[in-house]
Amino acid sequence: MDIAQFPRILLARLPTPIEPLPRLSAHLDGPKLYVKRDDLTGLGLGGNKLRKLEFLLGEARAQDAEVVLTVGALQSNHARLTAAACARLGLDCELILRRGSHASEAYLHSGNLLLDRLFGARLHELQAQESREERMAVRAEILRAEGQRPYCIPVGGSCGLGNLGYVACANEILLQSDEMNVRFDAVVVTTGSGGTQGGLVAGMKLADGVPVIGIAVEGTRTEQEVLAAGQAAEALRLLGQEETDIESTVEVLDEFVGPGYARPSESMREALSMAARFEGLVLDPVYTGKAFAGFIALARSGRYGKDQSLLFVHTGGTPGLFGYPESV
Ligand SMILES: *Cc1c(COP(=O)(O)O)cnc(C)c1O
């Protein structure tokens, strides 16, 4: 099945630009560095989840859903963009959010959470040991009993259908690469729930494209590789493609997780500072800051020569800066 046959609601401003990072490239004196600005997808302050939501909410609308549910951390970018997209489409939105170990005023009231409230989402706080998926299923059942039609989105919007957004993004990158006459030797992206990397891997596989390297922000290398490969396989299955040996094309680096999910690390702080001071580029402390630390490390590693080019996919998360000001 062709990707164009899936119901889709246009939410993101596409294609997002690819920009060179000349001052940072010169400073690191390694491969030529570029950034794909998926932080500039537009709606609700932008980010990677809008590409997934185009397909997920396409299905929700095809099913005549009236209320959309999803789950995440208290400062989830995915939850914020789901709330924004629902506002745009006139759908009710309910977010089931788990509070992490952070307890600052900013974490509890600013950043993404401030925006969730502004977009009019209904918030549910998850207890520490509760399963988010079970809680979402229970809430959906209650809504159904009240005569409503709920649509549930898994964490991060990662599932075969959501990942199609990043299958399409892989094609977008290859097209831009042709237009710019730059061949990227690798695409580097943050990996969390795995759908963004999985979709890119699937898209690159179908198009005979370039390698994708995921930089983990949680979990171990093996765990995250299994996750991303599973997400790639789900997208390929939806498209009716054989999934032969997708695992061998999935690479994840886990050296940049630091002390754990949403916990600051020195290399994250360095990456935030370098992106800002050399390029005026804003990253976030939870996702893109850690991934950019991996990107800088790859540029410094000697694995790529000066005549080679690396592309960092900036997945957004900017409001997270204001939810974790102490991390910067
Ligand atoms: C969700 C998110 C990611 C990770 O994407 P996954 O598809 O969950 O792996 C990366 N960056 C930002 C800013 C995000 O919000």
Side-chain angles (χ1 to χ4, degrees):
M1 188 156 162
D2 191 79
I3 203 162
Q5 289 169 268
F6 290 84
R8 179 174 184 178
I9 299 175
L10 300 183
L11 297 170
R13 194 171 269 273
L14 303 179
T16 57
I18 292 181
E19 299 169 347
L21 297 171
R23 291 194 66 233
L24 184 65
S25 304
H27 174 76
L28 294 172
D29 198 26
K32 295 183 212 78
L33 306 178
Y34 294 82
V35 60
K36 178 149 178 75
R37 301 294 305 272
D38 267 20
D39 56 322
L40 299 183
T41 48
L43 183 67
L45 296 186
N48 62 335
K49 303 310 184 311
L50 284 181
R51 289 191 190 262
K52 297 172 174 180
L53 287 165
E54 290 197 337
F55 288 94
L56 295 166
L57 294 179
E59 181 177 75
R61 186 160 71 182
Q63 294 177 2
D64 245 348
E66 306 161 297
V67 47
V68 173
L69 286 74
T70 197
V71 294
L74 208 64
Q75 284 288 341
S76 163
N77 299 299
H78 164 67
R80 179 246 312 168
L81 288 172
T82 303
C86 285
R88 152 84 70 93
L89 301 175
L91 296 166
D92 285 339
C93 180
E94 298 204 9
L95 304 174
I96 296 160
L97 305 178
R98 193 195 304 278
R99 189 199 283 225
S101 52
H102 300 263
S104 71
E105 272 297 295
Y107 178 77
L108 297 173
H109 299 288
S110 187
N112 285 297
L113 207 55
L114 181 154
L115 294 168
D116 294 343
R117 294 190 177 115
L118 195 60
F119 295 134
R122 177 167 180 172
L123 308 179
H124 304 270
E125 193 177 320
L126 201 61
Q127 297 313 307
Q129 324 78 348
E130 233 180 327
S131 147
R132 53 194 180 197
E133 282 73 23
E134 274 174 33
R135 177 73 180 273
M136 181 159 66
V138 167
R139 181 65 193 149
E141 213 33 67
I142 291 170
L143 289 165
R144 254 180 235 112
E146 289 173 357
Q148 297 201 61
R149 285 182 301 275
Y151 181 82
C152 292
I153 298 180
V155 68
S158 287
C159 57
L161 189 62
N163 303 347
L164 293 184
Y166 273 89
V167 173
C169 181
N171 290 316
E172 190 177 300
I173 290 170
L174 293 173
L175 212 72
Q176 287 173 306
S177 154
D178 277 350
E179 285 167 1
M180 297 166 68
N181 210 7
V182 175
R183 186 187 178 283
F184 298 115
D185 294 280
V187 172
V188 179
V189 69
T190 320
T191 199
S193 61
T196 301
Q197 184 182 5
L200 285 172
V201 165
M204 290 298 181
K205 178 135 189 144
L206 292 176
D208 205 9
V210 302
V212 179
I213 302 174
I215 312 291
V217 295
E218 59 191 315
T220 65
R221 176 181 191 132
T222 310
E223 284 166 356
Q224 293 298 122
E225 284 182 348
V226 167
L227 205 59
Q231 294 296 341
E234 275 191 43
L236 289 171
R237 207 172 302 127
L238 265 191
L239 294 168
Q241 301 289 330
E242 278 293 316
E243 71 229 47
T244 49
D245 198 27
I246 196 78
E247 289 81 6
S248 69
T249 63
V250 174
E251 177 178 3
V252 173
L253 306 182
D254 66 4
E255 294 91 332
F256 305 93
V257 175
Y261 176 78
R263 298 184 166 278
S265 65
E266 261 330 293
S267 63
M268 177 278 285
R269 287 198 169 96
E270 184 200 21
L272 244 65
S273 167
M274 286 178 78
R277 291 174 189 214
F278 283 105
E279 301 290 350
L281 185 70
V282 180
L283 305 172
D284 80 288
V286 180
Y287 293 97
T288 55
K290 287 183 179 175
F292 206 76
F295 186 60
I296 290 170
L298 280 169
R300 283 171 170 158
S301 68
R303 176 168 163 182
Y304 300 95
K306 284 194 191 188
D307 53 342
Q308 292 187 292
S309 298
L310 297 181
L311 178 67
F312 180 76
V313 180
H314 188 332
T315 43
T318 322
L321 261 181
F322 306 100
Y324 301 89
E326 70 287 352
S327 296
V328 181

